[in-house]
Amino acid sequence: NYLSGSIPPGIGNLVNLGTLVFMNNMLIGSIPDSIGKLSKLGRLSLDFNNISGEIPSSIGNLTQLSILSSQDNMIGGSIPISLGNCSNLLGINLGSNHLTGTIPQQIFGISSLIIIFLNQNYLTGLLPLEVDNLRNLGKLNVSENKLSGEIPGTLGSCQVLEFLYMKGNHFEGTIPPSFKQLRGLQMLDLSHNSLFGMIPSFLGDFSLIHYHNLTYIRFECEVPSEGVFSNISAFSIAGNSKLCGGNKALQLPACPTKI
């Protein structure tokens, strides 16, 4: 619709509300603290508005919440630790906002989560090691933030992961060997990070993969040529100037002969 103005604090009086969807309007202002009174709320969708302010800590009172989605707004501040109290969450989408601070490890204690989108914010710090608690996670998008440190090897425990987007951060180190366990991956995007070392050959064995985006990293190695890497339309390695070998269609220099 074309709803404008802010969300009234009186929304907290609707104590039997199960679904609240304000998507695709022109709402401004902040999310009222009174939202925490809606203890029966199962879905909260505020996507594609002009909502600003911070996510109120009272969001942690919504213990029946299964979907929290507020992408494409102007919400700032940090992700409240209290969100970890929402133990029935299946999906979190806070992408394309102005969120700052670190990703609370409490979120990764919600074992029911299937989808986490935190992309296009200003989040800093590490990706919490506790990500291995999310054994049902199918999609993780933390692209285009300011995350740093090594990619946690514990991510390999998320064995039903299908889509992993981590591009445009400051991740460093190597691709964890534990990624070998992510055999259900369909999309992997690690581009525009400070990773280095080898392109693991096991990435070529992912039979369900549609695309590996490994552009603008700092690999110095031979490009695998088997499995997925035999099809140059299934991966990209642009911006890596110290690669060699691989599929002839890549036109990379030959690798030095090993003695």
Side-chain angles (χ1 to χ4, degrees):
N1 286 294
Y2 300 96
L3 298 177
S4 58
S6 57
I7 302 172
I11 198 80
N13 296 325
L14 306 180
V15 293
N16 290 307
L17 201 63
T19 299
L20 179 58
V21 179
F22 281 133
M23 295 170 62
N24 290 288
N25 279 287
M26 298 182 292
L27 297 176
I28 60 173
S30 58
I31 302 171
D33 187 67
S34 60
I35 204 86
K37 297 179 180 179
L38 306 180
S39 59
K40 297 182 181 180
L41 201 63
R43 178 185 176 187
L44 176 60
S45 298
L46 307 173
D47 313 78
F48 306 108
N49 282 282
N50 296 304
I51 296 170
S52 56
E54 300 186 5
I55 301 172
S57 60
S58 64
I59 199 85
N61 297 332
L62 307 183
T63 55
Q64 300 304 309
L65 199 64
S66 60
I67 300 295
L68 172 61
S69 189
S70 186
Q71 69 169 321
D72 278 275
N73 279 287
M74 297 183 293
I75 298 171
S78 58
I79 301 172
I81 293 173
S82 62
L83 190 57
N85 297 331
C86 302
S87 57
N88 289 299
L89 274 172
L90 299 176
I92 297 173
N93 187 350
L94 300 175
S96 300
N97 279 286
H98 298 163
L99 293 170
T100 58
T102 60
I103 302 174
Q105 66 182 54
Q106 287 81 0
I107 289 179
F108 295 96
I110 307 174
S111 59
S112 56
L113 276 169
I114 297 173
I115 297 172
I116 299 178
F117 282 6
L118 301 174
N119 52 295
Q120 292 179 288
N121 281 286
Y122 301 96
L123 298 171
T124 56
L126 308 176
L127 184 65
L129 294 172
E130 291 80 3
V131 68
D132 63 343
N133 293 323
L134 306 182
R135 302 301 175 92
N136 298 308
L137 191 63
K139 297 180 180 180
L140 176 62
N141 190 345
V142 293
S143 296
E144 297 180 32
N145 279 285
K146 298 181 179 181
L147 299 174
S148 57
E150 295 188 356
I151 298 175
T154 51
L155 193 55
S157 296
C158 304
Q159 295 185 22
V160 298
L161 201 59
E162 296 179 340
F163 300 90
L164 178 57
Y165 303 98
M166 307 183 79
K167 74 173 183 179
N169 282 284
H170 305 298
F171 288 118
E172 55 191 21
T174 60
I175 296 177
S178 62
F179 271 30
K180 188 174 184 178
Q181 303 173 69
L182 304 179
R183 304 190 69 84
L185 274 181
Q186 298 180 31
M187 292 287 292
L188 174 64
D189 193 343
L190 302 176
S191 61
H192 294 272
N193 278 288
S194 298
L195 301 173
F196 57 85
M198 308 284 287
I199 299 176
S201 59
F202 63 72
L203 293 180
D205 298 331
F206 292 176
S207 59
L208 300 179
I209 200 79
H210 298 314
Y211 196 69
H212 285 312
N213 190 349
L214 305 175
T215 58
Y216 293 94
I217 305 179
R218 294 187 297 166
F219 292 127
E220 297 182 32
C221 63
E222 180 176 359
V223 178
S225 57
E226 298 181 354
V228 171
F229 292 104
S230 64
N231 178 7
I232 63 169
S233 65
F235 67 98
S236 179
I237 53 171
N240 291 278
S241 61
K242 297 184 179 181
L243 295 176
C244 63
N247 191 306
K248 292 182 179 180
L250 296 172
Q251 298 182 331
L252 294 173
C255 294
T257 302
K258 296 180 181 179
I259 300 176

